[in-house]
Amino acid sequence: GTKEGVAFHPHPLEPFSSKACRSLFQLMGIGIEGENKEVDPSLYIGGVHALESVLTVTPLSLLEESDVDNICGLLDAMASLVDSMNEIFATEIDLDSSGFSLRKAAARTLGSTLGTCLGETSSTKTSQIRCVIDESDKIHTYLRETVYPKLLLSSDM
């Protein structure tokens, strides 16, 4: 990591990042083999908020390729949650507070990650802090070409 021009080696998150990611994925219902399972909404909400930190603070070099694949899957799932709000409002489905809070958390995290992704590009970013969104072409492309258009289409309803 870098702080005010001083490089930290090893990065302070190095011992924890990949293991923390795998724990986060399990918390959010993605098993080690990638299978999905039902998760308590309050745990998923906490996981959504934690994912935002992973995406905006953790350097890509501290994660494994499978972590990047799982992140893309979670981003897609969050976009689907946000997309479902239009149907809920249109049909006046009674949504409990945890269901609404989950969608609100997903919208906030997606907004933050899309803002980072669509803001300064990696080549023009002035901050010394580099994160997964800046460094992973796969996640960057997934956000720009899959998640962002999906959300734009859903907002047009």
Side-chain angles (χ1 to χ4, degrees), residues 1-3 6-20 57-59 61-62 128-130:
T2 307
K3 182 176 175 152
V6 176
F8 293 103
H9 184 75
H11 191 283
L13 296 175
E14 188 170 337
F16 314 105
S17 294
S18 192
K19 183 177 179 183
V57 176
T58 306
S61 62
L62 303 183
Q128 295 290 331
I129 298 172
R130 308 280 295 168

Side-chain angles (χ1 to χ4, degrees), residues 6-7 13 20 29 44 47 51 56 64 79 81 83 92 96 98 102-103 106 108 111 128 141 157:
V6 176
L13 296 175
Y44 198 89
L51 181 63
T56 57
E64 297 176 9
L81 279 171
D83 183 35
E92 298 182 13
D96 65 11
S98 66
L102 175 56
R103 283 156 179 83
R108 182 186 182 288
Q128 295 290 331
T141 300
M157 298 181 109

Side-chain angles (χ1 to χ4, degrees), residues 71-103:
I71 288 169
C72 288
L74 287 172
L75 291 169
D76 191 55
M78 289 190 302
S80 294
L81 279 171
V82 173
D83 183 35
S84 72
M85 288 302 288
N86 287 326
E87 180 183 333
I88 290 167
F89 289 137
T91 58
E92 298 182 13
I93 294 171
D94 188 25
L95 188 64
D96 65 11
S97 64
S98 66
F100 182 75
S101 295
L102 175 56
R103 283 156 179 83

Side-chain angles (χ1 to χ4, degrees), residues 16-66:
F16 314 105
S17 294
S18 192
K19 183 177 179 183
C21 259
R22 285 192 300 277
S23 297
L24 176 63
F25 299 142
Q26 286 180 316
L27 175 78
M28 295 177 75
I30 297 177
I32 292 180
E33 297 83 31
E35 73 251 6
N36 295 328
K37 63 181 180 180
E38 289 294 317
V39 177
D40 181 275
S42 60
L43 288 176
Y44 198 89
I45 291 167
V48 167
H49 288 300
L51 181 63
E52 180 179 358
S53 295
V54 168
L55 292 171
T56 57
V57 176
T58 306
L60 179 63
S61 62
L62 303 183
L63 302 180
E64 297 176 9
E65 185 62 31
S66 62

